[in-house]
């Protein structure tokens, strides 16, 4: 079984582009439609660790839910980290996409062809 997983929103052109590239490269991966199969707070923490990012780094702040929550005014510091993670778990549309987890334990936000290729190279080592 392949350890590569991609979190997608099928309506997202960046997600569709990442899937097209993965398929063209013959990559094995699992698709997670994260709006339907919502990641838990622990899963979000794990992906953040793999990405080496903070929750505010993967938050889509222009979404309506972000504006309703007033996220742009939330502190971006360790003491607020759990609050951000809870918001992402409660409102998964706020999670930047696609997120690709590689076989080597790392992850990337695959919004560019270069990022998708990076995940591929990490999975083929």
């Amino acid at each position: 079984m392949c350890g590569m997983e991609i979190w997608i929103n099928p309506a997202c052109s960046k997600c569709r582009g990442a899937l097209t590239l993965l398929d063209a490269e013959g990559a094995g991966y699992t698709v997670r439609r994260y709006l339907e199969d919502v990641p838990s707070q622990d899963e979000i923490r794990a992906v953040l660790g793999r990405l080496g990012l903070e929750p505010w780094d993967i938050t889509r702040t222009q979404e309506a839910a972000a504006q309703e929550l007033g996220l742009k005014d939330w502190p971006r510091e360790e003491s607020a980290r759990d609050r951000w993670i809870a918001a992402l778990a409660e409102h998964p549309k706020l999670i930047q996409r696609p997120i690709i987890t590689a076989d080597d334990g790392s992850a990337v936000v695959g919004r560019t062809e270069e990022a998708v290729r990076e995940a591929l190279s990490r999975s083929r080592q």
Side-chain angles (χ1 to χ4, degrees), residues 59-74 76 83-84 87-88 91 93-95:
T59 301
R60 297 172 54 84
T61 57
Q62 299 307 309
E63 292 289 338
Q67 293 172 6
E68 290 168 18
L69 292 168
L71 286 182
K72 68 176 179 145
D73 297 323
W74 287 16
R76 295 177 180 217
R83 182 180 180 197
W84 281 85
L88 292 173
H91 305 278
K93 196 168 189 178
L94 296 176
I95 299 172

Side-chain angles (χ1 to χ4, degrees), residues 77-91:
E77 56 194 34
E78 182 63 32
S79 64
R81 193 170 197 268
D82 287 342
R83 182 180 180 197
W84 281 85
I85 290 169
L88 292 173
E90 189 172 330
H91 305 278

Side-chain angles (χ1 to χ4, degrees), residues 28-105:
Y29 60 89
T30 302
V31 170
R32 180 171 186 169
R33 294 179 179 218
Y34 71 94
L35 297 178
E36 299 162 16
D37 182 7
V38 179
S40 68
Q41 290 186 34
D42 286 342
E43 288 175 306
I44 293 169
R45 280 187 192 87
V47 161
L48 287 167
R50 292 176 80 164
L51 287 166
L53 296 174
E54 293 296 337
W56 44 86
D57 296 326
I58 65 161
T59 301
R60 297 172 54 84
T61 57
Q62 299 307 309
E63 292 289 338
Q67 293 172 6
E68 290 168 18
L69 292 168
L71 286 182
K72 68 176 179 145
D73 297 323
W74 287 16
R76 295 177 180 217
E77 56 194 34
E78 182 63 32
S79 64
R81 193 170 197 268
D82 287 342
R83 182 180 180 197
W84 281 85
I85 290 169
L88 292 173
E90 189 172 330
H91 305 278
K93 196 168 189 178
L94 296 176
I95 299 172
Q96 190 58 265
R97 60 191 182 249
I99 292 177
I100 305 170
T101 58
D103 291 340
D104 72 350

